[in-house]
Amino acid sequence: MNKALSFYEEKILKYKANIEKLNYIISKLSILRLLIVGVAIILSYYFYKRENIISLIMSLILLFIIFIIIAYYHNIKINEKKEYEVYININRKGISRIKGEFKENEDKGEEFLKDEHPFVSDLDIFGRNSLFQMINSTKTKFGRSKLFKMLTLESIPTRDEILKKQDAIKELGSKVEWRQSLEVKSTLKKSGTKDIDELLKWAKSKNEIKPLFKIIPYLFIVITVMSVVLVILNVLPISYLILMFMINYLVVKILTKDLIPIIKLFDKHKKDIEAYTNLLMLIDNENFESIFLKDLKLKLKNNSKSCVKEMKELKKLVDWLGDSSSNAYYLLLNITILSDIFILRNLEEWRKINGDKLKKWLDIMGEFEALSSISNLSFDFENWSYAKIVDEDIVEAVDIGHPMLGERAVVNSFTLTSNEKVALITGSNMSGKSTFLRTIGLNLLLSYIGAPSCSKSFTCGIFSIYTCMRTKDNLEESISSFYAEILRIKILIEAAKKGEKVFFLLDEIFKGTNSKDRHEGAKVLINQLVNNKALGLVSTHDLELCDLEKTKIWLKNYNFQEYYEKNNIKFDYKLRIGKSKTQNAVHLMKLAGIDFSDN
């Protein structure tokens, strides 16, 4: 059995057993809390009837303390249960990845779909049944953004960068429990992937601390302390102290008139800050061996100052702000030591020191999240191989399969070199041509981001991937599917002419025109791409195009076939050398009810 599958199943059983134990404890604690309330009511009635007020008060205080302790312990157990439930969900998602049954995962990354991107839509990078849906375990906006940039190849990596990423992915793949902790902490505390630009805007803006903030609080604290002493000594009446508190409250409100929007800002992002602090703490406490991860973690320190310590300070200030708007004891602090002024001043000092670093810290945190998502593949598919990256224009695969098909994937071996620049793939409908094109494209992408490829071995050069597979009408722009295809081909040709090392995947090109134009256009396009040093795969139903192999030494024909059992069409999805010699269109038409005997 797959090692990862065993791990996930064992963890699920373990966490379910822990939840059963916790359910027992939680139910007993709930009953105990009710009993304490009942005892408090009975004792209150008993001592009240006997006019024993002291015993009534003492018993209520004692029971209240016991109730608070039990309630605190009760909440701890409830939170433990929630944590185990998240762990179970994470491990279930791992099983669904391995089996290729991840279509129900809620986060599909549909907002990242871009038809104009060179390959995103054609290779199913985002959306339903996509690579993103399969691997994503990010829970913060920054993690999602970093994963988006990685999966879209925002910049073409160098060989050295890919090799460093491979080491990082291998290491994170082995740290499965740490990666799951990263996901759990962000899931439990994070309030969503909402926009936090306003928080970052606050961090970047600068406000000088007013001199009044440095002098007035201490002056009024001294006056307040002296007033309390004088009232205790009966030098001043208590009404003077009350007046002093009222003045303090007024001073606080005047000096902190800007605090209300700040309270609202941090109240909105309190859970975010707590989640970010927890994630950065996990990263800071973990030891990494790979160069890439070490360097990434090192960026979280500034002059040996840990960002975790600074984030904890921000969290404390945010917690105080939350108390300021809801707790009675905080009001007492406010009118005696003018606490709001100190909080506002401390926030300004924190912002002055760390404000311009916050975005950098969160981006690095997001990169760890994104890398952890990609590392799911490393752990889940132990038989997959890491690509050998070479300086040659080559794609060579042994037993390569579609990464998202799980146990259903059919593997094939395939080679494309600088001598054989184009693979022309023919075959009947539904035989596997388009899936094979996506298989090659997806495994190239996985290799470039440092992930393992779905293959026994995979060797490739570094290319810019361009596809033209799915084109559709755009009624708003008055663009037909054929013209949309032309526009994508134009982008591909321009990239090749500019000197990019292009790897192209073309599926049934120029299908929106007549057979003669389609044949001639495909022939000219393939020649033009090869002349501009591009490599790639072309699938087609145009069998005449296969004749190019006779005159073009750089083109090789491949095909997929179908077979029949008891008049039922079957496919083995195995790639064969040579052009297709089978057709199934008429058979499929007959299945649709078209009767050829009428003619």
Side-chain angles (χ1 to χ4, degrees):
M1 180 186 270
N2 182 298
K3 184 177 71 175
L5 192 61
S6 298
F7 175 88
Y8 292 136
E9 289 175 347
E10 287 171 10
K11 287 294 183 182
I12 289 172
L13 289 174
K14 176 186 173 183
Y15 295 138
K16 281 184 175 179
N18 289 343
I19 286 175
E20 283 184 19
K21 293 175 185 176
L22 284 171
N23 282 335
Y24 177 80
I25 295 170
I26 289 167
S27 63
K28 296 300 179 186
L29 290 172
S30 298
I31 293 169
L32 191 55
R33 287 174 70 171
L34 287 172
L35 285 174
I36 291 170
V37 173
V39 170
I41 293 170
I42 293 168
L43 287 178
S44 297
Y45 180 78
Y46 178 80
F47 289 125
Y48 176 76
K49 280 293 185 180
R50 282 157 181 74
E51 297 182 354
N52 190 344
I53 304 302
I54 294 175
S55 296
L56 187 152
I57 293 171
M58 293 301 293
S59 64
L60 286 178
I61 291 173
L62 179 62
L63 288 170
F64 178 74
I65 292 171
I66 295 171
F67 183 88
I68 291 297
I69 292 170
I70 291 173
Y72 177 75
Y73 186 65
H74 190 210
N75 285 333
I76 288 176
K77 294 302 172 185
I78 290 172
N79 288 332
E80 280 183 26
K81 179 184 174 182
K82 289 179 180 177
E83 190 167 305
Y84 286 134
E85 287 171 344
V86 176
Y87 271 115
I88 287 174
N89 186 50
I90 290 171
N91 284 281
R92 281 176 176 163
K93 285 174 68 177
I95 292 173
S96 73
R97 274 195 303 272
I98 293 170
K99 295 185 175 181
E101 299 169 351
F102 51 86
K103 291 181 183 179
E104 301 309 314
N105 291 353
E106 292 182 6
D107 194 354
K108 303 177 181 67
E110 290 172 323
E111 72 273 26
F112 298 133
L113 279 170
K114 293 183 178 180
D115 289 336
E116 65 273 16
H117 189 274
F119 61 80
V120 157
S121 296
D122 288 339
L123 297 186
D124 300 317
I125 308 301
F126 304 105
R128 183 169 172 78
N129 199 25
S130 65
L131 181 61
F132 180 89
Q133 189 182 22
M134 178 185 181
I135 68 172
N136 177 47
S137 60
T138 65
K139 290 291 181 289
T140 71
K141 174 188 175 182
F142 300 93
R144 286 170 63 80
S145 176
K146 285 291 182 181
L147 186 56
F148 160 74
K149 290 177 181 178
M150 290 178 186
L151 294 182
T152 53
L153 289 182
E154 190 180 46
S155 59
I156 303 299
T158 64
R159 181 176 180 274
D160 186 55
E161 287 171 340
I162 293 172
L163 295 179
K164 285 182 179 179
K165 278 276 185 75
Q166 286 182 350
D167 288 340
I169 297 299
K170 287 176 189 175
E171 182 177 359
L172 286 177
S174 67
K175 293 178 179 288
V176 58
E177 294 193 8
W178 180 82
R179 288 189 290 107
Q180 289 193 354
S181 295
L182 200 72
E183 190 173 353
V184 168
K185 293 299 181 186
S186 55
T187 301
L188 288 174
K189 295 297 181 184
K190 187 71 178 66
S191 56
T193 53
K194 60 177 178 285
D195 195 354
I196 66 159
D197 286 347
E198 56 188 346
L199 179 62
L200 297 175
K201 185 179 179 182
W202 170 85
K204 288 180 181 178
S205 59
K206 300 292 182 184
N207 285 332
E208 288 297 323
I209 299 172
K210 301 172 185 176
L212 290 174
F213 274 59
K214 299 178 181 179
I215 301 170
I216 288 182
Y218 297 105
L219 177 63
F220 275 84
I221 289 171
V222 170
I223 295 171
T224 302
V225 170
M226 289 175 60
S227 299
V228 171
V229 172
L230 292 174
V231 168
I232 292 171
L233 296 174
N234 289 323
V235 176
L236 292 173
I238 195 168
S239 58
Y240 179 84
L241 186 60
I242 294 171
L243 178 63
M244 190 69 231
F245 286 152
M246 292 173 66
I247 293 172
N248 284 355
Y249 184 76
L250 185 63
V251 169
V252 168
K253 288 300 175 185
I254 291 172
L255 291 181
T256 61
K257 61 182 184 294
D258 298 329
L259 191 59
I260 292 175
I262 293 176
I263 290 174
K264 288 181 178 178
L265 171 67
F266 284 106
D267 184 58
K268 182 179 177 181
H269 295 291
K270 184 176 181 179
K271 288 183 180 179
D272 299 301
I273 292 169
E274 187 172 358
Y276 300 153
T277 304
N278 290 338
L279 297 185
L280 288 167
M281 200 184 309
L282 276 170
I283 295 166
D284 190 60
N285 291 336
E286 188 67 19
N287 292 319
F288 299 104
E289 299 298 325
S290 65
I291 295 172
F292 187 88
L293 295 178
K294 277 184 174 180
D295 290 345
L296 196 59
K297 180 181 173 180
L298 195 62
K299 293 177 183 178
L300 291 174
K301 293 188 182 294
N302 184 47
N303 298 325
S304 73
K305 203 171 188 179
S306 171
C307 72
V308 174
K309 182 180 177 183
E310 297 302 315
M311 288 299 293
K312 283 181 177 178
E313 288 298 319
L314 179 61
K315 182 180 174 299
K316 285 179 185 177
L317 291 171
V318 171
D319 288 340
W320 273 104
L321 277 178
D323 291 337
S324 71
S325 60
S326 57
N327 292 332
Y329 75 84
Y330 191 88
L331 177 63
L332 185 61
L333 287 174
N334 227 352
I335 61 176
T336 52
I337 62 170
L338 291 74
S339 53
D340 271 357
I341 297 176
F342 286 101
I343 288 176
L344 193 59
R345 192 182 74 181
N346 289 341
L347 276 172
E348 289 298 336
E349 288 177 349
W350 189 96
R351 176 162 61 175
K352 185 177 181 181
I353 297 169
N354 302 301
D356 57 346
K357 304 181 189 75
L358 181 61
K359 177 69 163 55
K360 176 187 172 184
W361 294 341
L362 299 183
D363 280 338
I364 293 168
M365 174 199 74
E367 191 160 357
F368 270 100
E369 269 196 294
L371 290 169
S372 294
S373 291
I374 296 169
S375 299
N376 285 322
L377 297 174
S378 176
F379 180 71
D380 292 349
F381 303 100
E382 56 188 336
N383 294 325
W384 288 17
S385 68
Y386 286 86
K388 181 182 178 182
I389 308 298
V390 295
D391 294 327
E392 304 169 55
D393 293 345
I394 183 173
V395 173
E396 186 174 21
V398 176
D399 291 346
I400 194 166
H402 195 292
M404 281 126 65
L405 292 181
E407 298 167 341
R408 296 175 289 120
V410 176
V411 299
N412 286 286
S413 294
F414 174 78
T415 301
L416 199 65
T417 67
S418 55
N419 294 325
E420 295 173 350
K421 298 177 184 295
V422 178
L424 191 65
I425 303 175
T426 51
S428 55
N429 296 293
M430 305 187 298
S431 59
K433 301 189 301 297
S434 301
T435 299
F436 185 71
L437 264 61
R438 292 190 178 92
T439 295
I440 299 299
L442 279 166
N443 281 291
L444 278 174
L445 171 62
L446 290 177
S447 300
Y448 296 160
I449 63 176
S453 63
C454 180
S455 66
K456 186 175 180 180
S457 71
F458 192 54
T459 303
C460 63
I462 300 173
F463 305 95
S464 297
I465 303 169
Y466 284 85
T467 64
C468 183
M469 302 179 71
R470 290 191 187 112
T471 51
K472 54 189 178 182
D473 297 338
N474 187 332
L475 297 179
E476 290 183 6
E477 301 292 334
S478 299
I479 293 175
S480 68
S481 59
F482 177 70
Y483 187 60
E485 185 179 18
I486 294 297
L487 292 177
R488 288 192 70 81
I489 294 295
K490 182 174 183 288
I491 294 170
L492 165 60
I493 291 171
E494 287 175 350
K497 284 182 175 179
K498 283 191 297 185
E500 286 187 45
K501 289 182 67 174
V502 167
F503 189 90
F504 57 87
L505 298 165
L506 309 178
D507 188 25
E508 297 295 339
I509 50 173
F510 306 136
K511 50 187 169 287
T513 187
N514 63 76
S515 57
K516 181 182 178 182
D517 288 347
R518 179 171 65 248
H519 176 80
E520 191 62 30
K523 190 167 65 172
V524 171
L525 172 62
I526 293 169
N527 268 297
Q528 188 171 355
L529 289 172
V530 170
N531 289 337
N532 282 286
K533 300 180 180 179
L535 274 76
L537 287 77
V538 180
S539 75
T540 182
H541 282 294
D542 183 2
L543 297 180
E544 291 181 18
L545 205 58
C546 297
D547 293 339
L548 281 173
E549 187 182 45
K550 298 174 183 177
T551 57
K552 306 295 182 183
I553 59 172
W554 40 257
L555 185 141
K556 189 169 184 178
N557 286 319
Y558 293 88
N559 74 88
F560 288 95
Q561 295 180 9
E562 81 281 0
Y563 62 97
Y564 297 88
E565 283 184 2
K566 297 178 181 179
N567 206 35
N568 290 320
I569 190 167
K570 301 280 186 178
F571 302 98
D572 61 11
Y573 305 112
K574 300 301 292 185
L575 185 69
R576 296 171 174 83
I577 294 175
K579 75 175 183 178
S580 175
K581 296 177 181 178
T582 62
Q583 294 177 327
N584 66 9
V586 172
H587 182 81
L588 293 174
M589 291 176 194
K590 287 178 179 179
L591 290 177
I594 300 174
D595 189 353
F596 284 81
S597 63
D598 290 347
N599 294 317

